[in-house]
Amino acid sequence: MTTHRTSHRHHPLRRDCDRYHDRLCACLLLLLVLALAVIPFLVGRSTYAAAMRTAAEQSAARHQVIAHAAAEAQGTSSGLGDQWAPVRWTDDRGVSHLGLTEVPGDTPKGGTVQVWVDGKDRIVQPPTTRQEALTTGCFTGMVAALVLLLAYLGARAGLVAAIDRKRYEQWAAEWRVVEPLWSKRLHR
């Protein structure tokens, strides 16, 4: 005895909307895979390149000077054990400057610290490092991947909802044709 098996693709109860649903979901998944393979890398690389340009500009516009703590450190800052203290330094022209910066908590009055200053002798943050640029690029690439995944999930949910709405309309239309025939058979 042989049994005839109908494949899932050509099953007589599968409607065109079922096949359409499967094809569209497969296409969306393929687009997601291709996008995840390319877009996060390009976004991360672009962000890294921009951060490295910023680092180069900052390095050209900033320089380190040796300063001396003008008073005892006060309060705490964001770093572990660092505190705020006024510092004093002298520029290349012999002009003395005073500024407020974070120093290690154990820096005594008169102790030396290195600070970064800009062209106008204002204390600034150190230039962006290569590691910081790399971290920013990687983080941005991961965020891009997450955005792509969320966009895929949203598009797929919208697609499934639209196809289901069409499918339910077809089922209702088919039932309006079949239901009277079934009702007559049941009430004989």
Side-chain angles (χ1 to χ4, degrees):
M1 179 162 121
T2 62
T3 59
H4 178 43
R5 293 189 72 186
T6 306
S7 76
H8 179 69
R9 292 183 98 180
H10 302 293
H11 194 280
L13 295 180
R14 273 182 68 80
R15 294 176 172 82
D16 287 339
C17 62
D18 297 326
R19 285 184 278 280
Y20 184 67
H21 170 269
D22 292 346
R23 285 186 198 121
L24 283 177
C25 286
C27 285
L28 273 178
L29 185 60
L30 178 63
L31 286 174
L32 173 68
V33 169
L34 292 174
L36 284 175
V38 176
I39 292 175
F41 170 76
L42 294 176
V43 168
R45 185 177 72 175
S46 175
T47 302
Y48 169 75
M52 287 304 293
R53 282 191 301 276
T54 299
E57 291 168 4
Q58 289 174 345
S59 293
R62 299 174 183 183
H63 61 280
Q64 270 188 316
V65 295
I66 296 177
H68 301 279
E72 295 293 323
Q74 300 173 1
T76 59
S77 68
S78 59
L80 294 175
D82 287 350
Q83 295 181 330
W84 290 99
V87 294
R88 185 176 305 279
W89 71 96
T90 305
D91 66 19
D92 295 339
R93 298 178 310 271
V95 177
S96 180
H97 299 276
L98 183 66
L100 188 66
T101 190
E102 292 178 291
V103 297
D106 59 353
T107 304
K109 180 179 179 179
T112 61
V113 292
Q114 290 192 335
V115 295
W116 286 89
V117 295
D118 63 10
K120 295 181 180 179
D121 286 310
R122 294 177 298 202
I123 295 178
V124 293
Q125 293 295 318
T128 300
T129 65
R130 182 180 182 284
Q131 185 60 44
E132 290 169 334
L134 186 60
T135 301
T136 301
C138 289
F139 177 75
T140 306
M142 288 188 286
V143 168
L146 180 63
V147 167
L148 285 171
L149 184 60
L150 292 175
Y152 163 78
L153 292 173
R156 188 176 189 286
L159 172 72
V160 168
I163 290 174
D164 282 348
R165 192 170 34 256
K166 181 70 173 169
R167 182 181 298 149
Y168 297 149
E169 290 170 4
Q170 286 177 341
W171 286 347
E174 291 169 2
W175 182 247
R176 283 191 294 274
V177 171
V178 173
E179 191 268 335
L181 300 173
W182 279 32
S183 296
K184 287 180 187 175
R185 279 188 14 198
L186 293 176
H187 295 296
R188 281 189 194 173

